[in-house]
Amino acid sequence: GAVVSQHPSRVICKSGTSVKIECRSLDFQATTMFWYRQFPKQSLMLMATSNEGSKATYEQGVEKDKFLINHASLTLSTLTVTSAHPEDSSFYICSAQSLRLAEYYNEQFFGPGTRLTVL
Amino acid sequence: AQSVTQLGSHVSVSEGALVLLRCNYSSSVPPYLFWYVQYPNQGLQLLLKYTSAATLVKGINGFEAEFKKSETSFHLTKPSAHMSDAAEYFCAVRNRDDKIIFGKGTRLHILP
């Protein structure tokens, strides 16, 4: 199947700093990428949807100025957590979807996740 | 709005026993349904998906699920549990905006 990578897999930062997480589709062009957040022992909550070349669409309750999403190319989306605080500590997972791959049309492929810890 | 409900946040079965993880869906249109597995500190792996082609869906690792419209259910089963099946399992539905809505998850414990 199609492969999605995330970098870094783990990051620890000080409160007040910004952290960038990358999501890459390695062997296909992702027309849409999704960002999820998962608190310990909880389900995944969709944060935002991004389409290449356009602004991300954020879910209700997600601060767009806090979580900056850029989808500059068909293989890369970035999530920047600005001025991170301990309550932002979480597991962030991205997924990528392609409308161009007939075999995997409209299926989402998930990255391995990034564990963010804010001290 | 489409949603899924997973019954039981924790399920324990003995190694070699039947695995049954329950999921009920709510949808006004024929749903696209999924089961994902998540191992600790890892992303999600798709086990199987229902897209209306067949009511009994076979997935990876010996798992299968049956779509029952009359019961609005999509339960996940495996005839014989293996220690490596211990993980978190999520049932999910895709809505009209292509967003995937996840259930709360079921932690599967395998007893030796």
Side-chain angles (χ1 to χ4, degrees), chain A residues 10 34 36 38 41-44 46 49 57 59 91 93 97 99 105-108 110-113 115, chain B residues 6 32 34 36 38 41-46 49 88 90 94 97-105 107:
Chain A
R10 287 179 176 272
F34 303 84
Y36 297 84
Q38 185 180 31
K41 301 187 179 185
Q42 293 189 28
S43 189
L44 282 75
L46 180 65
T49 303
T57 303
E59 295 300 301
F91 195 52
I93 301 176
Q97 174 179 284
L99 297 178
Y105 182 78
N106 231 9
E107 183 175 331
Q108 286 189 31
F110 287 82
R115 173 76 60 192
Chain B
Q6 290 183 244
Y32 278 176
F34 307 84
Y36 290 90
Q38 184 180 34
N41 295 310
Q42 294 188 28
L44 300 181
Q45 182 179 13
L46 179 67
K49 61 182 177 182
E88 188 85 20
F90 293 98
R94 193 173 76 205
D97 297 328
D98 288 339
K99 297 176 183 177
I100 292 182
I101 310 300
F102 290 90
K104 293 189 175 182
R107 171 76 61 180

Side-chain angles (χ1 to χ4, degrees), chain A residues 4 15 27 37 47 66 68 75 79 82-83 96 100 104 109:
Chain A
V4 176
S15 185
D27 50 1
R37 183 174 182 177
M47 299 174 66
K66 174 79 172 171
L68 301 179
T75 59
L79 167 67
T82 62
S83 186
R100 303 181 182 184
Y104 303 117
F109 298 93

Side-chain angles (χ1 to χ4, degrees), chain A:
Chain A
V3 180
V4 176
S5 70
Q6 280 185 242
H7 178 79
S9 58
R10 287 179 176 272
V11 57
I12 300 172
C13 68
K14 293 183 179 179
S15 185
T17 60
S18 294
V19 175
K20 180 184 286 188
I21 301 170
E22 293 185 349
C23 176
R24 293 182 184 272
S25 55
L26 298 185
D27 50 1
F28 68 101
Q29 293 182 326
T31 47
T32 306
M33 286 185 169
F34 303 84
W35 286 95
Y36 297 84
R37 183 174 182 177
Q38 185 180 31
F39 289 106
K41 301 187 179 185
Q42 293 189 28
S43 189
L44 282 75
M45 299 299 295
L46 180 65
M47 299 174 66
T49 303
S50 73
N51 294 294
E52 187 263 341
S54 61
K55 289 185 178 181
T57 303
Y58 291 82
E59 295 300 301
Q60 191 172 12
V62 177
E63 301 174 59
K64 59 180 67 177
D65 295 330
K66 174 79 172 171
F67 299 99
L68 301 179
I69 292 172
N70 184 280
H71 192 163
S73 77
L74 284 171
T75 59
L76 173 64
S77 176
T78 59
L79 167 67
T80 301
V81 183
T82 62
S83 186
H85 290 281
E87 57 265 31
D88 298 324
S89 299
S90 190
F91 195 52
Y92 293 88
I93 301 176
C94 73
S95 70
Q97 174 179 284
S98 174
L99 297 178
R100 303 181 182 184
L101 284 173
E103 183 179 359
Y104 303 117
Y105 182 78
N106 231 9
E107 183 175 331
Q108 286 189 31
F109 298 93
F110 287 82
T114 296
R115 173 76 60 192
L116 171 63
T117 303
V118 185
L119 303 176

